[in-house]
């Protein structure tokens, strides 16, 4: 199956370059480009791509607002969003993930990481650049919260707590399986149960909950 992607960036060279990189990958097709957030939202709603790759700093509507419009908590049929930016700032990462983004990359990321992020978002997983995930999520979650989010009505089991900790560290399902000596399908089952218990729609929201409740700690 070919993944259909929309790329939005107000810089022509950057947008064209990203589109060329993605179009050169087997199984990925850029179906539209946009120069601002409003265009990205309109084209995404019309074309229903598998993933939107959005810059943060764009005119008319920035990437965080566009993400909220396409993948926010109030969106009934969200479209996966990956944010890519030159800005390594706490509020951008946390704001994008809270808005519903399934990935966050810096523009100096290599092609392999970009493709991994697109594929992860399309598969319902999440990828945040390893050099920013723990530091930024923990720092900003700690300073932003006024009170810890509510605990689940059905308490997490010991194994679910272990899986939660590994997800918060950015581990893939395969890595979690190897770390905990369980199968990939068992990892998927635990993650599905975590999402149900926490009211989370994806792995990113699980990670945010882990940091906001103090369960995740900087390595």
């Amino acid at each position: 199956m070919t993944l259909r992607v929309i790329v939005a960036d107000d810089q022509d060279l950057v947008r064209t370059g990203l589109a060329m990189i993605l179009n050169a990958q087997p199984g990925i097709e850029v179906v539209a480009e946009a120069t601002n957030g409003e265009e990205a939202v309109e084209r995404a709603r019309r074309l229903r791509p598998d993933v939107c790759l959005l810059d943060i700093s764009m005119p008319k509507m920035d990437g965080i607002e566009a993400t909220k419009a396409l993948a926010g908590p109030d969106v009934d049929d969200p479209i996966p969003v990956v944010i890519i930016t030159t800005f390594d700032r706490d509020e951008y990462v946390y704001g994008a993930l809270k808005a519903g983004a399934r990935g966050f990359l810096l523009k100096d990321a290599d092609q392999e990481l970009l493709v991994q992020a697109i594929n992860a978002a399309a598969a319902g997983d999440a990828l945040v650049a390893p050099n920013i995930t723990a530091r930024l999520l923990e720092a900003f979650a700690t300073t932003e919260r006024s009170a810890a989010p509510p605990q689940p009505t059905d308490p997490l089991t010991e194994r679910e707590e272990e899986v939660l900790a590994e997800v918060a560290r950015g581990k893939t399902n395969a890595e979690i399986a190897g770390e905990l000596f369980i199968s990939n399908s068992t990892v998927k089952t635990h993650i599905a149960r975590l999402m149900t218990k926490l009211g989370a729609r994806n792995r990113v929201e699980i990670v945010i909950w882990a940091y906001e409740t103090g369960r995740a700690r900087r390595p």
Side-chain angles (χ1 to χ4, degrees):
M1 183 183 70
T2 298
L3 296 181
R4 301 166 66 252
V5 179
I6 285 179
V7 176
D9 195 299
D10 61 324
Q11 296 182 326
D12 291 343
L13 287 176
V14 173
R15 187 180 65 255
T16 301
L18 290 170
M20 289 178 62
I21 290 171
L22 293 176
N23 278 326
Q25 306 302 316
I28 296 179
E29 177 189 4
V30 176
V31 295
E33 298 179 23
T35 60
N36 60 64
E38 286 186 358
E39 283 185 1
V41 171
E42 184 278 324
R43 290 172 189 180
R45 286 173 172 168
R46 175 166 50 87
L47 297 173
R48 301 298 304 179
D50 297 296
V51 180
C52 290
L53 181 64
L54 307 180
D55 183 28
I56 277 188
S57 181
M58 293 188 292
K60 295 188 178 180
M61 178 187 291
D62 65 27
I64 292 178
E65 287 302 312
T67 298
K68 191 179 298 182
L70 294 172
D74 298 327
V75 179
D76 292 331
D77 190 13
I79 298 173
V81 171
V82 173
I83 290 289
I84 185 165
T85 181
T86 56
F87 301 106
D88 180 4
R89 291 174 56 181
D90 295 7
E91 64 268 28
Y92 284 159
V93 179
Y94 196 73
L97 298 182
K98 288 290 281 186
R102 288 189 185 173
F104 191 102
L105 299 174
L106 299 179
K107 288 183 180 177
D108 61 2
D110 60 30
Q111 295 184 24
E112 182 180 0
L113 195 62
L114 172 62
V115 174
Q116 287 177 1
I118 295 294
N119 282 299
D125 292 334
L127 189 151
V128 179
N131 59 328
I132 60 177
T133 177
R135 174 178 64 81
L136 296 182
L137 274 174
E138 182 179 0
F140 204 72
T142 300
T143 57
E144 278 290 290
R145 70 173 186 263
S146 56
Q151 298 295 317
T153 303
D154 187 5
L156 303 187
T157 65
E158 182 178 352
R159 180 61 88 186
E160 287 167 351
E161 291 279 6
E162 292 173 341
V163 172
L164 174 73
E166 297 301 323
V167 171
R169 294 187 183 102
K171 299 289 185 64
T172 64
N173 285 0
E175 289 171 335
I176 296 171
E179 184 73 22
L180 301 180
F181 303 102
I182 56 180
S183 68
N184 277 342
S185 61
T186 301
V187 174
K188 290 180 181 178
T189 298
H190 285 308
I191 290 175
R193 288 174 179 167
L194 283 170
M195 287 193 287
T196 298
K197 288 184 176 183
L198 305 180
R201 297 186 304 168
N202 53 55
R203 293 169 76 102
V204 167
E205 293 185 359
I206 292 176
V207 173
I208 291 173
W209 188 87
Y211 278 95
E212 289 182 334
T213 57
R215 279 171 164 80
R217 289 288 182 267
R218 187 178 306 172

